[in-house]
Amino acid sequence: MSSKQSKACHGLPAGQKRLSFSAVPGPKRPKPTDPGGTGAPRPPPPLQQHRDASGSSFTRCPVCGAQVPLLCINLHLDAGCVDLQTTGAATAAGPSGARSRPPGPAGHGTELQQPQGRGQGLQAAGMDHPQQPQQPQQQQHQPQKVAGVAGGAAAEAPPQAPSEESTDRASHQTALRSGAPATESLLIVAADCGDGQAAPSDAGRSASPLRAAEAALALPPPPPICLADGDGSGAGGGGGAGSRSAQGQEPGLAAVPLHPMFLPRAAARESGGLKSGQSCGERTARRDEVAAAVHLGVLTGSGYEGNGGGGGGGGGAARGGASSSLVEGGGLRMLRPVPHPSLDGQYVVSEFVTPAEEAELLALCDDPVLQPPWSPWSGQTYANATAQRTRGKRWGVLPDYHRRGVAPLEHPLPPLLRLLAERMRARVGLLRRQSFHPNEANAIDYRASRGSWLRPHVDDRILSGDLIVNLCLAGAAVMSFGRDKDSKAAGGRAAAPAATDSSYRQLPPGQQQQQQQPLSRDEVRVLLPPRSLQVLSRAARYSYTHAIAPADLLDERRVSITFRRSELRAFEKPG
Ligand SMILES: O=C(O)CCC(=O)C(=O)O
Ligand SMILES: [Fe+2]
C-alpha cells in the first residue's frame, strides 16, 4: 500500500474494513496466537481472519463464533448470525479446502465477478486495510437496498425482468397515475421491488452463489426515501417513510434516489458537490443560482443521497453506518443508474466511488512518478481540443480524430481504471447488459480560476462505441446538453459545435455569467456531483451535444475521467 493509500484510510473505526482499491497485496496479518505462551486466555481481536488453501478469507464472527467468509460477515451479522452454510450460499467456500472463493462484493476483483481471462492482478488484495471515515450524510437513510435489489434483479434475469429503463419509465408513470402532487411525480418509484427483498425464487433461479446468498439472507427492507411537499417542509429523518406513505404513496412502492438534476442546494452541499469555503464569492453566488435552477424537488430530512452511500441498509446503520460501495459488507447490491426524466439515455450513478477512492484516483492522475510520460498533466492533450484551458491525459487505445482511425493499444488502462471498469460492469446493470469493456480513457483537469470549459460536442460517433461514461471527481459541475443539429447526419466525425457554442467562448470571469444564454426546451442542464458516474447512451450519446460552461464549474477544481470503447480501425486519412 502506498503512503497515500495509508493516509486515505487512516483513523477508521475498528472492525470496519474497506476492500482495497489497489492491486498491491496488503500486509500479512499475524496469526491470532498467544505470543507470550502464558496460556492465559486472550480475547480475540474483533475480526480475526484467515485464508484457506485457495486463498479465500474467513473470519470468526464476534457474536456467534462461526467461521464466516469474510465478505459475508456483515450479511451474516445483519441477518442475526444466519449460518451461511445452511443457505447453500457458501458451501463452496468453507474454511477447509474450499476451492471457490466466497461470494464477494461485485466489482472488487473477486473471482466470482471477474470475467474470464480479465483482471488478473486486480484481486481485492487489501481486504484487510482499514475503512475510510464515515461520511455523515451517508448514515442517514438507505435507499440503496431497494435500488440494489431492483437493479440486481433486472440485471440478473433479463428475460423475465423488465429492463431498468422500462421499469423506470413504467414506475414513473405509476407515480404519475397515482395522482401525486406535481413535485411528488418527480419521484421515480420502483414498483417491482417494493418490499425491498429479493424474491425467494431468485435463489433457485440463479446459479450464482452471490445471488443465492443475497436471497437467502434477505435483509429487512430499509426505509424508503421520500419527498417533502414542494416547499421542502416535510418531515425529516427517519420519519420520512411514514410521512411519505401518509401523503398517499401507493403501499408497497419504494422510492429510489432522485436524479441529481433535482438536487437542492443544501443537499448538494451535503453530498459533497458544493463545498463551502472553497470558492470565491462570485462562484458561491453562481452555485446558488445553479442550485436554484436545478431545484425542482426537495428531499426530506436526510437530504439527497446517492446510490452507493449508506449501502448497508438497516444493517449498515446497525454496524456503524458502513456506507461505501467498497466497504466490505456494504453490499452485493447493484448500483442504480438514475435516468434523467427527459433526456433519453442519460443516467447518473451517485457516489460511485468513495471519498477515499476519489483521493486515490486524483493521486493517480496527479502523481508525478506514476504520471505517464506520454500523457503528462500539462497542456492540451485532448485530441479534438474539445476541452479548453484544461489539462488532459489519456490511456488505452489511441483514437485519432483527424486521421479517422484508432491506433493499437500502447499503454493499457492502469489497474485502478480497469478495476473501476470491472465495477461498472459488476454493479451497474445498464453497463453490464451492454457488456461495457472500455479500452480507452481520458482525464480532464478543469480549474475554474483558469477559465476551463468544455466545448459542446458529441463524442465521435464512429470511432467510439455506444456508451460514454464519465467519472466525476474533486468538484461539481453542471453539464449542459443541447439537441445536436447534426444528429440526423450521424454518419461521421464528431458533431460541429452546437449553436450555443458562442455562449461558451472564453470571457473574463465577470462576463461569463451574463453570456449564459437561456436554455431552450431542447437544452437540458444536469448537475454532476463529485464521485458520480454519468452514463451517456442513446439520444444523450448521439443526438445531444454536451458541454460545461466556465461558470458551471461549481468548485475550483474538477477532474473527469471518461471511459469509452473504441475498436481498432485503420486510418482513413494520411497523417
Ligand atoms: O468532463 C466531463 O465530464 C466530460 C468530458 C467529455 O465530454 C469528454 O472527454 O469527451
Ligand atoms: Fe464528451
Side-chain angles (χ1 to χ4, degrees):
M1 187 189 302
S2 72
S3 59
K4 282 189 181 136
Q5 289 165 328
S6 305
K7 265 186 222 149
C9 303
H10 180 68
L12 304 175
Q16 294 189 359
K17 294 169 177 50
R18 183 171 74 91
L19 287 177
S20 173
F21 208 43
S22 163
V24 181
K28 287 212 166 101
R29 286 176 174 267
K31 293 232 167 80
T33 54
D34 176 10
T38 61
R42 288 166 37 118
L47 282 176
Q48 295 179 359
Q49 297 173 27
H50 68 266
R51 291 175 190 268
D52 67 7
S54 72
S56 300
S57 295
F58 289 83
T59 186
R60 181 176 172 278
C61 171
V63 176
C64 71
Q67 290 293 332
V68 179
L70 183 60
L71 296 174
C72 295
I73 185 64
N74 284 329
L75 288 173
H76 171 87
L77 288 168
D78 289 343
C81 294
V82 164
D83 180 2
L84 290 172
Q85 299 293 339
T86 65
T87 68
T91 49
S96 55
R99 300 193 74 79
S100 304
R101 284 178 182 268
H108 301 166
T110 61
E111 287 176 7
L112 282 170
Q113 294 299 330
Q114 284 194 352
Q116 288 293 326
R118 289 180 60 83
Q120 299 304 315
L122 291 179
Q123 298 292 331
M127 286 165 38
D128 46 357
H129 82 60
Q131 189 182 38
Q132 65 193 351
Q134 296 164 13
Q135 299 303 301
Q137 77 275 14
Q138 293 175 332
Q139 300 174 21
Q140 297 173 346
H141 68 82
Q142 296 82 28
Q144 296 69 32
K145 175 67 167 51
V146 175
V149 170
E156 289 300 323
Q160 292 87 5
S163 71
E164 224 158 55
E165 299 92 303
S166 65
T167 302
D168 295 331
R169 291 185 202 298
S171 302
H172 193 198
Q173 282 162 7
T174 305
L176 291 172
R177 274 200 306 274
S178 71
T183 51
E184 293 180 2
S185 70
L186 299 175
L187 185 69
I188 299 165
V189 179
D192 57 344
C193 60
D195 62 3
Q197 298 187 24
S201 60
D202 283 351
R205 189 179 63 210
S206 169
S208 157
L210 197 62
R211 308 304 307 177
E214 276 188 291
L217 292 175
L219 302 178
I225 59 170
C226 63
L227 287 174
D229 295 332
D231 64 2
S233 61
S243 61
R244 181 69 178 87
S245 76
Q247 288 167 18
Q249 181 177 319
E250 289 179 31
L253 300 186
V256 298
L258 285 179
H259 192 280
M261 175 184 180
F262 305 126
L263 190 62
R265 177 168 58 89
R269 232 178 260 288
E270 277 176 26
S271 80
L274 307 175
K275 298 186 184 98
S276 56
Q278 263 197 340
S279 307
C280 63
E282 186 177 286
R283 201 152 50 244
T284 302
R286 175 66 183 146
R287 290 184 309 189
D288 289 351
E289 179 197 323
V290 167
V294 298
H295 178 181
L296 297 177
V298 179
L299 292 172
T300 51
S302 52
Y304 178 82
E305 186 179 352
N307 269 314
R319 65 175 172 267
S323 57
S324 156
S325 55
L326 274 193
V327 173
E328 178 201 346
L332 311 170
R333 301 168 185 85
M334 300 296 285
L335 300 173
R336 186 174 181 83
V338 179
H340 191 281
S342 62
L343 180 53
D344 176 56
Q346 193 273 357
Y347 300 82
V348 172
V349 181
S350 298
E351 299 295 340
F352 182 74
V353 295
T354 66
E357 292 160 2
E358 178 186 40
E360 205 168 337
L361 284 159
L362 290 169
L364 170 81
C365 291
D366 290 339
D367 195 305
V369 177
L370 295 177
Q371 175 173 283
W374 64 90
S375 185
W377 237 172
S378 63
Q380 173 54 267
T381 61
Y382 194 47
N384 62 5
T386 300
Q388 302 287 317
R389 301 198 179 195
T390 61
R391 301 186 301 168
K393 58 175 57 178
R394 61 166 54 254
W395 301 270
V397 298
L398 294 170
D400 188 319
Y401 301 107
H402 301 293
R403 296 165 73 190
R404 309 300 305 149
V406 180
L409 179 109
E410 283 179 35
H411 307 286
L413 263 58
L416 210 51
L417 299 191
R418 280 185 282 153
L419 193 54
L420 275 182
E422 299 274 354
R423 183 189 294 178
M424 290 174 200
R425 279 193 303 282
R427 305 197 70 180
V428 181
L430 176 70
L431 300 177
R432 175 188 283 190
R433 281 196 297 281
Q434 299 201 35
S435 189
F436 182 56
H437 279 86
N439 62 350
E440 61 142 323
N442 72 278
I444 301 175
D445 184 6
Y446 299 83
R447 305 286 175 131
S449 59
R450 286 192 208 139
S452 300
W453 61 292
L454 183 71
R455 184 179 176 142
H457 69 284
V458 175
D459 287 40
D460 197 290
R461 296 181 175 100
I462 296 295
L463 300 187
S464 300
D466 289 342
L467 294 169
I468 306 293
V469 176
N470 311 114
L471 178 66
C472 309
L473 303 170
V478 175
M479 184 170 274
S480 299
F481 292 83
R483 190 172 282 282
D484 180 32
K485 287 185 303 182
D486 296 345
S487 61
K488 282 189 194 137
R493 23 185 326 158
T500 51
D501 192 20
S502 59
S503 66
Y504 296 100
R505 221 164 256 144
Q506 187 53 47
L507 292 164
Q511 295 177 36
Q512 286 168 358
Q513 266 176 250
Q514 294 128 39
Q515 289 294 318
Q516 298 303 303
Q517 296 176 352
L519 295 174
S520 77
R521 61 193 174 133
D522 275 346
E523 293 176 311
V524 170
R525 286 160 63 73
V526 172
L527 179 61
L528 298 176
R531 300 182 294 285
S532 66
L533 196 72
Q534 174 179 242
V535 179
L536 300 181
S537 64
R538 304 192 302 271
R541 157 75 175 99
Y542 287 117
S543 305
Y544 282 77
T545 60
H546 52 276
I548 298 172
D552 281 340
L553 287 175
L554 303 185
D555 294 292
E556 165 54 20
R557 187 181 193 199
R558 174 178 184 265
V559 173
S560 67
I561 303 180
T562 298
F563 296 81
R564 303 181 194 81
R565 178 83 196 174
S566 301
E567 302 301 342
L568 294 185
R569 190 183 177 91
F571 294 139
E572 289 173 13
K573 299 181 181 174

